[in-house]
Amino acid sequence: MEINRLLKIGVDKIKDRPYSNPVLEAVLVLGELLNVDKTYIYTHGEEKVPQPLVDRFLELMDKRKEGYPIQYLINKREFMGLDFYVEEGVLIPRQDTEILVEYVLDYIDEKYGDSPINILDLGIGSGAISLSLAYYRKNATVYGVDIHDTPLKVANINKERFRLDNVKLYKGDLFEGIEGLGLEGKFHIIASNPPYIARKDIDSLQREVKDYEPIEALYGGEDGLDYYRRIIPDSKKYLREEGLLVLEIGFDQGKDVVHMMEEEGFKEVKVIKDLQGLDRVVSGIKVKELD
Ligand SMILES: C[S@@+](CC[C@H](N)C(=O)[O-])C[C@H]1O[C@@H](n2cnc3c(N)ncnc32)[C@H](O)[C@@H]1O
């Protein structure tokens, strides 16, 4: 069957899905299968597609019709200008998280310039935060921890893909992942985008997220704040004096997380908003006299 005809059948299958861009998605999936880019697909409409690939394409379009995320279908998600490999079992990086990464990149430039620094990322997922920081700031040595195997596997694939030798990845439960490495008091920056969805909000997530993305990357306990309750106090042991703790949060968690950080003695605690004007990141500095 020719590319054009096949695309039309694919688009018809997925055109009623909410949150989708049927033509672009069908083009991306077919491009991935044929190992060619979008432009090739648009300019070679009369070319024949081998039958096994026709069958595979239609299978994938049926999956997409059921809400399976396009990023898992094509094993790709662009984040901070980098093409991350993703697969089922790992959170698809969100554009909102670029707010945190950009904030940290600017902070590094202002405060540390080209001096060597250590960064820790808790809950690496595909490596969105840790690997983009390591990619764009070669003076940083970035440590990353995740408790699950798939994120570690995927982040390692991405680490190889971006040829990063300034990243070290560990398996473990938050700070336990780097216990025994002598890194107490060594981090200039600790960053995390932990699971933060509250129980009451899980059901209202869109189908792509709720049915297919890993729940352990999303669920943050009854009120969504469980991870902040652990990360904020424990981070003081691993941050240097004047080290920065920076956390992604849900849009309605700013007040609570600011309060937690202030209670733990952090200074200059502030909320950074996303492009929609919603609270997205909280940051604060560890003060000298903390334990
Ligand atoms: C919201 S995702 C963030 C992934 C990635 N940093 C990003 O921004 O796309 C949270 C990640 O934390 C990991 N995680 C959950 N509980 C953890 C724990 N106790 N210790 C370490 N990682 C954990 C999950 O496996 C998941 O990869």
Side-chain angles (χ1 to χ4, degrees), residues 120-170:
L120 174 63
D121 174 21
L122 295 168
I124 52 174
S126 62
I129 296 175
S130 40
L131 302 187
S132 27
L133 290 174
Y135 184 90
Y136 289 111
R137 294 296 178 270
K138 296 289 191 259
N139 55 317
T141 301
V142 184
Y143 295 75
V145 174
D146 208 288
I147 198 168
H148 294 291
D149 289 329
T150 308
L152 280 164
K153 183 190 89 175
V154 168
N156 270 304
I157 291 173
N158 285 318
K159 177 184 160 184
E160 292 300 308
R161 177 177 280 202
F162 307 141
R163 298 175 201 286
L164 297 171
D165 53 15
N166 54 337
V167 176
K168 300 172 191 215
L169 303 176
Y170 299 91

Side-chain angles (χ1 to χ4, degrees), residues 235-261:
S235 67
K236 292 189 290 183
K237 182 170 157 197
Y238 284 90
L239 280 171
R240 294 159 55 99
E241 284 171 8
E242 299 285 311
L244 178 83
L245 176 63
V246 58
L247 303 167
E248 181 168 320
I249 55 159
F251 72 95
D252 54 355
Q253 295 171 330
K255 245 170 114 179
D256 288 323
V257 176
V258 164
H259 180 71
M260 283 182 209
M261 281 177 70

Side-chain angles (χ1 to χ4, degrees), residues 10 13-14 26 29 57-65:
K13 278 182 185 284
I14 61 172
V29 171
F57 174 75
L58 295 176
E59 232 174 74
L60 294 178
M61 287 293 100
D62 281 335
K63 248 180 140 174
R64 179 67 192 119
K65 187 179 171 184

Side-chain angles (χ1 to χ4, degrees), residues 260-276:
M260 283 182 209
M261 281 177 70
E262 285 175 346
E263 284 279 287
E264 286 295 332
F266 282 81
K267 66 175 181 181
E268 294 170 43
V269 178
K270 62 178 171 192
V271 174
I272 297 133
K273 291 190 185 291
D274 62 22
L275 299 174
Q276 298 172 61

